[in-house]
Amino acid sequence: MAVLRQSQSVENKHKLSNTLRNWLPILHSSLSDLGEAMEPFVSANPVVEVKSGYEEDFEKKIPKKIVSGSGVNNSRTEQIEALTIQSKSLYEVLDEQLEAPLFPTPISQEIAQFVVANLDENGYYEGESDEFCQEHNIDLDAFEKVRLRFAHIEPMGIGAKDLSESFLFQLDNSEISNEAYPLGVEMINDLQNIHSYSNREHFSEVMHIISTFKNPPNIEYQEDSSHVVPDLMIYFNDEQQIEVKLNDAYYPAINIDTSYGVEHDFVSQKIKEAKSLVDALEMRKATLYKVGLMIVEYQYDFFIGGQIMPLTLKTLADEFGHNPSTISRAIANKYIACDRGVLAMKDFFTTAIDEDVSNAAIKEFLVGLVKAESREKPLSDMKLLDLIQEKFKVKMVRRTIAKYRKQLNIAGSSERKKLYQLGLS
């Protein structure tokens, strides 16, 4: 019996090693390239037949809660477009809308074009409005009235000055009830403390509506989504609970022909190899599904309308018992479809100063500090350092603040003071 147990152990170990050998290239490939990754295993195995998952219509396989949207009236069917190829650039889409009835006059169209020309990489407006108004001899109120018409063009939220205004733009175009709307405005204007409103009537409705908003507003256009097929769909079901669904219907189907005589060693070996390929495919599904569950656990705030929180690859690697480099390759070229668009899995992982604070969060806070600073006495790098360390409870050095400033195109305090005095900033 001892000999038998040893034989079974060796056989199981051999099967597992074969599966793992197949699993790594299958795991590392994107869903759209999965068939190509399997080709070396399939071409050398006469008992295996693979049917491509591409032979069916992709959109038919996406949960209706994503395709139909979740409460946002959108004549351009934005939820479907979020899962298909973007055929036009952001600027082409905007240019088509810079005309009557929203922008009926030459000056209104010029203002609209100025706003579009001064969008940052996230779709927020950061132009020098005062300078434009002086050049065209109009007052700032007139300029703002035209800019605020961007609340009615797509993508929704574009042209807003910040996240809160972008969400207000999107709120005005949502199907929120009249009763819940005032609370929605109140919560959006106090996003930092959004969960403190949980005991208010209509809180659930507002949170559900906010979860459909795009953040940033140009998220669908930030990278070319051509040939992108998401591995996972994350969406709210009818009970308003988040669900994670594998796009398993898009996987290749593996058929094993067992009509050959299994008494032949060659055939028997090929059938074992084919079964290990099936096991490897199932391991890929299980691994990515677990990644999806962890992303929902750590990034829940994002799916209800908030920011992506700090999450390191090491956290995920520790959960799986793998090296972070293995996890990095595993999430490469993998995508998640949700109500807020199609995002690369890597986007949910941020570089961290420590386990709790991301450099993205610190940069965002730094920008806020500079925007709110006194024009007579701008904040020095040392003062910025003190405020950041106090806010995030981390230890940093002044040169890191200087580096972040340069990355954000923010001048030093003395230079900013000169710009303020000249009215150029």
Side-chain angles (χ1 to χ4, degrees):
M1 292 300 293
V3 175
L4 177 60
R5 282 198 297 270
Q6 182 180 12
S7 174
Q8 287 175 334
S9 175
V10 170
E11 182 179 346
N12 288 337
K13 185 175 181 180
H14 178 67
K15 176 182 177 182
L16 185 59
S17 64
N18 278 340
T19 300
L20 288 174
R21 189 161 52 246
N22 295 342
W23 174 64
L24 288 175
I26 287 173
L27 176 65
H28 294 165
S29 70
S30 66
L31 188 52
S32 57
D33 295 332
L34 191 54
E36 185 178 342
M38 292 170 57
E39 180 59 29
F41 306 105
V42 174
S43 60
N45 197 326
V47 304
V48 174
E49 179 185 4
V50 176
K51 181 180 179 182
S52 172
Y54 279 79
E55 294 177 7
E56 297 179 42
D57 184 5
F58 171 44
E59 290 176 11
K60 291 179 181 178
K61 298 174 181 177
I62 297 173
K64 293 181 179 179
K65 290 298 288 182
I66 292 180
V67 172
S68 63
S70 47
V72 179
N73 181 17
N74 192 328
S75 60
R76 294 176 181 267
T77 58
E78 62 181 284
Q79 299 298 335
I80 294 178
E81 290 184 355
L83 300 172
T84 55
I85 297 172
Q86 289 289 350
S87 58
K88 296 181 181 179
S89 72
L90 172 63
Y91 294 102
E92 289 174 326
V93 170
L94 293 175
D95 284 344
E96 292 175 355
Q97 301 174 78
L98 303 187
E99 55 187 25
L102 286 176
F103 309 104
T105 64
I107 186 61
S108 66
Q109 290 181 9
E110 198 161 350
I111 291 172
Q113 289 166 3
F114 181 80
V115 170
V116 170
N118 287 275
L119 297 176
D120 68 10
E121 68 275 8
N122 293 315
Y124 294 116
Y125 171 68
E126 59 174 6
E128 300 293 342
S129 307
D130 291 333
E131 186 176 319
F132 180 92
C133 291
Q134 290 175 7
E135 183 180 338
H136 293 80
N137 196 28
I138 61 173
D139 59 46
L140 189 58
D141 286 342
F143 179 94
E144 279 297 288
K145 284 181 181 178
V146 175
R147 185 187 66 82
L148 290 174
R149 295 176 196 170
F150 274 75
H152 306 292
I153 71 174
E154 296 186 15
M156 293 299 174
I158 206 79
K161 288 185 174 180
D162 52 33
L163 176 66
S164 293
E165 189 178 59
S166 173
F167 276 13
L168 289 174
F169 282 7
Q170 296 179 66
L171 183 72
D172 286 341
N173 290 277
S174 71
E175 290 187 347
I176 193 168
S177 67
N178 292 334
E179 294 77 16
Y181 179 84
L183 179 61
V185 173
E186 191 176 348
M187 288 169 59
I188 288 171
N189 284 323
D190 190 22
L191 285 174
Q192 295 278 355
N193 304 302
I194 194 168
H195 290 289
S196 66
Y197 296 84
S198 59
N199 61 343
R200 297 276 294 275
E201 188 179 6
H202 307 300
F203 174 79
S204 296
E205 180 184 352
V206 173
M207 288 300 290
H208 172 60
I209 292 295
I210 289 177
S211 74
T212 68
F213 293 170
K214 295 184 179 67
N215 176 30
N218 72 340
I219 193 169
E220 294 175 18
Y221 298 87
Q222 287 192 332
E223 65 176 289
D224 182 9
S225 60
S226 177
H227 305 301
V228 166
V229 180
D231 277 87
L232 298 170
M233 278 78 79
I234 297 177
Y235 58 99
F236 285 87
N237 61 24
D238 293 332
E239 287 75 39
Q240 298 309 308
Q241 297 173 327
I242 285 188
E243 286 196 13
V244 178
K245 180 177 174 61
L246 275 168
N247 191 9
D248 53 0
Y250 212 70
Y251 275 71
I254 300 177
N255 297 318
I256 302 175
D257 186 353
T258 57
S259 62
Y260 293 94
V262 293
E263 65 275 5
H264 297 291
D265 291 341
F266 173 81
V267 174
S268 177
Q269 178 61 32
K270 291 302 176 183
I271 289 177
K272 287 180 181 178
E273 291 176 4
K275 289 180 177 178
S276 74
L277 188 62
V278 173
D279 291 339
L281 211 56
E282 292 303 314
M283 285 179 67
R284 183 191 200 276
K285 293 180 182 180
T287 300
L288 293 177
Y289 181 71
K290 185 175 180 181
V291 170
L293 291 176
M294 289 188 64
I295 286 175
V296 168
E297 179 181 351
Y298 285 94
Q299 304 292 3
Y300 183 81
D301 284 350
F302 171 81
F303 294 102
I304 59 174
Q307 300 282 348
I308 289 179
M309 300 300 290
L311 176 60
T312 64
L313 288 174
K314 184 178 183 301
T315 301
L316 207 63
D318 290 344
E319 289 277 347
F320 280 92
H322 292 306
N323 189 284
S325 62
T326 302
I327 300 301
S328 178
R329 291 193 296 271
I331 66 172
N333 303 312
K334 309 296 191 305
Y335 293 84
I336 289 176
C338 65
D339 284 344
R340 299 178 70 176
V342 178
L343 295 94
M345 278 192 186
K346 63 180 177 59
D347 291 343
F348 290 95
F349 298 85
T350 55
T351 305
I353 303 260
D354 62 19
E355 292 298 319
D356 301 309
V357 182
S358 72
N359 60 4
I362 287 180
K363 286 180 181 179
E364 184 178 355
F365 183 67
L366 190 155
V367 170
L369 289 174
V370 172
K371 283 184 177 180
E373 72 183 356
S374 166
R375 295 191 167 219
E376 286 74 32
K377 192 177 180 181
L379 299 169
S380 66
D381 284 354
M382 284 305 299
K383 184 60 178 175
L384 289 170
L385 174 64
D386 291 341
L387 292 171
I388 287 171
Q389 291 185 146
E390 181 182 355
K391 167 72 174 178
F392 293 99
K393 309 298 185 225
V394 294
K395 293 298 293 181
M396 299 174 63
V397 293
R398 190 197 62 79
R399 65 176 177 270
T400 303
I401 303 300
K403 181 180 75 172
Y404 286 175
R405 271 199 305 96
K406 291 177 182 178
Q407 291 174 349
L408 295 165
N409 293 318
I410 296 174
S413 57
S414 58
E415 188 66 22
R416 294 202 305 276
K417 186 174 182 178
K418 292 177 184 177
L419 292 173
Y420 291 150
Q421 289 172 343
L422 294 170
L424 298 178
S425 181

